[in-house]
Amino acid sequence: MNEVNNSGSCIAAYRIFGDKTTDFSKKAESIAVGLTVGSWTDLPQARKQAMEKHLGRVVQIEVFEGEGPERYADVSIAYPDINFSRDLPALLVTVFGKLSMDGRIKLMDLHFSESFMSAFPGPKFGIEGVRSLLGVPERPLLMSIFKSVIGHDLPELKEQFKQQALGGVDLIKDDEILFENPLTPIDKRVPACMEAAKEAEQQTGQKLLYAVNLTGPTFQLKEQAKKAIELGANALLFNVLAYGFDALHALASDPDISVPIAAHPALAGALYPSPYYGIAPSVLLGKLMRLAGADLVLFPSPYGSVVMPKEQNLAIRDVLRSTKLNQEYASGELQPDWTLKPSFPVPSAGIHPGLTPWIVRDFGRDVVVNAGGGIHGHPGGAAAGGRAFRQAIDAALQGRSLQDFAADGHLELQAAIDIWGAKQ
Amino acid sequence: MNEVNNSGSCIAAYRIFGDKTTDFSKKAESIAVGLTVGSWTDLPQARKQAMEKHLGRVVQIEVFEGEGPERYADVSIAYPDINFSRDLPALLVTVFGKLSMDGRIKLMDLHFSESFMSAFPGPKFGIEGVRSLLGVPERPLLMSIFKSVIGHDLPELKEQFKQQALGGVDLIKDDEILFENPLTPIDKRVPACMEAAKEAEQQTGQKLLYAVNLTGPTFQLKEQAKKAIELGANALLFNVLAYGFDALHALASDPDISVPIAAHPALAGALYPSPYYGIAPSVLLGKLMRLAGADLVLFPSPYGSVVMPKEQNLAIRDVLRSTKLNQEYASGELQPDWTLKPSFPVPSAGIHPGLTPWIVRDFGRDVVVNAGGGIHGHPGGAAAGGRAFRQAIDAALQGRSLQDFAADGHLELQAAIDIWGAKQ
């Protein structure tokens, strides 16, 4: 194992699978050399001196011997910053471009150098910024999703929006599959929904962010975002993986795109679930999303219908919020702290009010409780659904059981528990 | 199973894994409804009439019963075009956005409607166009890759380029991990290499395309491409998956980007190898690349060091070149032929001259033989390495064994066989 090159390397951690014959050290060295200088041992000494600053280095190897023929190793390799430009396509192509096709190998983690990170301002708002826009300094936020949108006309959509807003939700997001369409194009949808938001605010006294789905051709995304904002949109939803992390980075870095961006995980399931291939969720939906500037990040919750194992969920949570992301390796001075603003974790799918205490237990206050069916499916309608969630959040914050709290005259919560139960 | 809606749907084929209790028909229906209108059976009849044109339909289901507890089904679902805009992010997010995270499911195929395809001009050059630029109407083309590029200065790079060009290669591509850098920035690299190409042409009498790596920020890709072309680049290499298919589509559709684009498969291994998750290689590196406009598509060969199973390779070959891509379903009139120009398949990695007859046997004449180590590692140097390949191609086209042909005074081929062998 080589010494760490402290001065400006990004580190990629991989899990590499093999069998009883696999020489993981040799494999790691071949990656470190092959993805940087190309060849090393046969170089003349003078040449080595000139090339050393470009050479990748094996930082860590841990081999796990299984009981069967399968073995694997966790391998970390440092890639000198000098080899790639300071953008995410360059970094990802360097560390996992060709290598992703080299048998069973999964990208498990990424550590960014100070120099690399300096190109990334990160989330424009972050958790505090979103809270400040909403005037909600402490409690978990509540987001709701349209029930169904395709084939609905503008008055229907507006009414659906208003009912959600009346329930006291903090954010409403477009469905990620709502694209530009004749019934509810963005230039009609945004004014109609923002009007509904205003109408609801007169009753609830509460602010609301509407995350409008940013879609269409890549090279028109900035214009489309600015158009949505001019029309009144005060947040954006973005299918990051369909466009690449660099597009998110560019949108988040643009001073004229002056609203929070919520990153949707659409297509992520093609990349993270296999143990043998792809990219770990804490990287894909965690570090890379935050680095690229997502203020809120949606990901499959461990509670609901689309399930992600809880430890993966908590790993996403940690990298979205922590400042100590780069100190997992041996020495404290190896990599810098993250000074980027933290992103709001938004565990999603299959959430009903009865799960709220679990979300708060696992995520604390800095979380967005996100529901679709759990709001629209409430027997009292979407507004009652929103209220049930807000009551559940209050109960969780007060450390009271949902049953107790519901019995205390919180009828919407009681009705929700009656159909969906409350997880014990 | 519903009848096919012929009038404008794109069809996605999935492999869905389950166990003995899985009701695949119910699952398929829930996808078809859930990813389109949201709900169906509980809609009033009048509403159903209005919504029917938006409703997804299960086109085909085939259940495979395994011997163990695992079962799977191949399921095809038609998504009405009316639901999404005519761009690849919209299509992919619709058919595999949320669904990709819904357990073990792999996207196996996509069939595009005539209406959807009408937004895609496809490859600007295609196989014939590339051949025409090179003046090589029939034989397999030969592409070579720089040996190592990181840390090399301009004179070294130019000399490496010239040696490759002197061997009679038709295309030289940048390494996909060569980004903007102080030693060989694009504005110095392109003129230097194109000058080397001209010098070599005076000796070989042969034209050559230099595929310059198009990198950097997403929203500057068009300007960067045009800059490279102004500097003399006559082809581009592009890491499509780092930027998204829509970026490729926009580049290929731009009339000012007047050179062939070679699509590199960097990061593809995060998406295609698992049987349970991701996107099949014939879609990821085949249909989507051609639809988005790649003139040449690199992918891991079944011969060399980075191995992809041969049937997957041949499936990529077929979708890159065939015109009959959409007729695999029941009725001939279901989906239109592909009128897009075909793309050159470029099976890559671990190729040496001894494998050439196998490439020609599997791919025919319309293929690019692509080599790195198999050219630079030749005992006579890169120029001799190129000549060995050209001799191997000639032998294959004449149906002669490499050994015979080499013995006929083709010394470079003989030297290559002596080190790497010739696959029997």
Side-chain angles (χ1 to χ4, degrees), chain A residues 1-5 11-12 24-33 55-62 74-79:
Chain A
M1 196 183 309
N2 294 307
E3 280 204 358
V4 179
N5 174 3
I11 296 171
F24 288 110
S25 297
K26 197 175 155 194
K27 175 79 187 164
E29 285 294 341
S30 85
I31 294 171
V33 172
L55 176 65
R57 288 175 190 274
V58 180
V59 176
Q60 199 164 306
I61 284 195
E62 194 174 356
D74 286 344
V75 169
S76 294
I77 291 172
Y79 296 87

Side-chain angles (χ1 to χ4, degrees), chain B residues 368-414:
Chain B
V368 178
V369 177
N370 182 24
I375 283 185
H376 298 282
H378 193 283
R387 284 191 285 271
F389 267 106
R390 288 290 304 273
Q391 292 160 8
I393 290 171
D394 287 345
L397 290 179
Q398 294 171 29
R400 294 178 60 186
S401 85
L402 294 186
Q403 285 81 354
D404 264 15
F405 199 78
D408 231 8
H410 295 108
L411 303 182
E412 291 92 347
L413 179 56
Q414 186 62 57

Side-chain angles (χ1 to χ4, degrees), chain A residues 35 37 47 51 83 94 96-98 100-101 148 150-151 156 176-177 179 218-219 243 246 250 267 269 300 306, chain B residues 35 37 47 51 54 83 94 96-98 100-101 148 150 156 176-177 179 218-219 243 246 250 267 269 300 306:
Chain A
L35 298 185
V37 297
R47 189 78 189 139
M51 294 293 273
N83 292 350
T94 296
F96 207 48
K98 199 184 289 178
S100 73
M101 296 176 277
S148 47
I150 285 178
E156 288 165 350
E176 80 280 1
I177 57 168
F179 306 101
T218 304
F219 293 119
Y243 294 94
D246 186 68
L267 300 170
V306 176
Chain B
L35 297 184
V37 297
R47 190 75 189 143
M51 293 294 273
H54 298 280
N83 292 351
T94 295
F96 208 48
K98 198 182 294 178
S100 72
M101 295 176 278
S148 47
I150 286 179
E156 288 165 351
E176 79 281 2
I177 57 169
F179 305 101
T218 304
F219 294 119
Y243 294 95
D246 186 68
L267 299 170
V306 177

Side-chain angles (χ1 to χ4, degrees), chain A residues 91-121:
Chain A
L91 179 68
L92 291 172
V93 167
T94 296
V95 308
F96 207 48
K98 199 184 289 178
L99 187 58
S100 73
M101 296 176 277
D102 192 17
R104 293 188 301 167
I105 181 165
K106 185 165 184 173
L107 180 62
M108 300 301 285
D109 208 350
L110 280 174
H111 297 261
F112 311 109
S113 68
E114 195 153 11
S115 159
F116 188 81
M117 289 196 77
S118 70
F120 296 85

Side-chain angles (χ1 to χ4, degrees), chain B residues 1-16:
Chain B
M1 196 184 311
N2 295 308
E3 281 203 357
V4 180
N5 174 4
N6 275 2
S7 54
S9 292
C10 291
I11 295 172
Y14 310 96
R15 182 158 290 173
I16 305 175

Side-chain angles (χ1 to χ4, degrees), chain B residues 77-101:
Chain B
I77 291 172
Y79 296 87
D81 290 343
I82 194 174
N83 292 351
F84 44 87
S85 46
R86 287 182 192 164
D87 58 82
L88 287 171
L91 180 68
L92 291 173
V93 167
T94 295
V95 307
F96 208 48
K98 198 182 294 178
L99 188 58
S100 72
M101 295 176 278

Side-chain angles (χ1 to χ4, degrees), chain A residues 34-39 42 47 50-51 54 82-85 87-98 100-103 105 147-153 156 175-183 215-222 239 241-247 250-251 264-275 277-279 285 299-300 305-307, chain B residues 34-39 42 47 50-51 54 82-85 87-98 100-103 105 147-153 156 175-183 215-222 239 241-247 250-251 264-275 277-279 285 299-300 305-307:
Chain A
L35 298 185
T36 57
V37 297
S39 56
D42 53 336
R47 189 78 189 139
M51 294 293 273
H54 298 280
I82 194 176
N83 292 350
F84 43 87
S85 46
D87 58 83
L88 287 171
L91 179 68
L92 291 172
V93 167
T94 296
V95 308
F96 207 48
K98 199 184 289 178
S100 73
M101 296 176 277
D102 192 17
I105 181 165
K147 184 187 178 188
S148 47
V149 291
I150 285 178
H152 289 243
D153 63 18
E156 288 165 350
D175 201 329
E176 80 280 1
I177 57 168
L178 185 62
F179 306 101
E180 279 301 74
N181 72 92
L183 288 173
T215 67
T218 304
F219 293 119
Q220 292 169 31
L221 286 172
K222 282 193 171 188
N239 291 309
L241 299 174
Y243 294 94
F245 287 102
D246 186 68
L251 294 166
H264 195 279
L267 300 170
L271 287 152
Y272 71 72
S274 168
Y277 305 103
I279 302 176
L285 300 174
F299 50 89
S305 50
V306 176
V307 170
Chain B
L35 297 184
T36 57
V37 297
S39 56
D42 54 336
R47 190 75 189 143
M51 293 294 273
H54 298 280
I82 194 174
N83 292 351
F84 44 87
S85 46
D87 58 82
L88 287 171
L91 180 68
L92 291 173
V93 167
T94 295
V95 307
F96 208 48
K98 198 182 294 178
S100 72
M101 295 176 278
D102 192 17
I105 180 165
K147 185 188 177 189
S148 47
V149 291
I150 286 179
H152 289 242
D153 63 16
E156 288 165 351
D175 203 328
E176 79 281 2
I177 57 169
L178 184 62
F179 305 101
E180 280 300 72
N181 72 91
L183 288 172
T215 68
T218 304
F219 294 119
Q220 293 169 31
L221 286 172
K222 280 193 173 189
N239 291 309
L241 299 175
Y243 294 95
F245 287 103
D246 186 68
L251 294 166
H264 195 279
L267 299 170
L271 288 152
Y272 71 72
S274 168
Y277 305 102
I279 302 176
L285 299 174
F299 51 89
S305 51
V306 177
V307 170

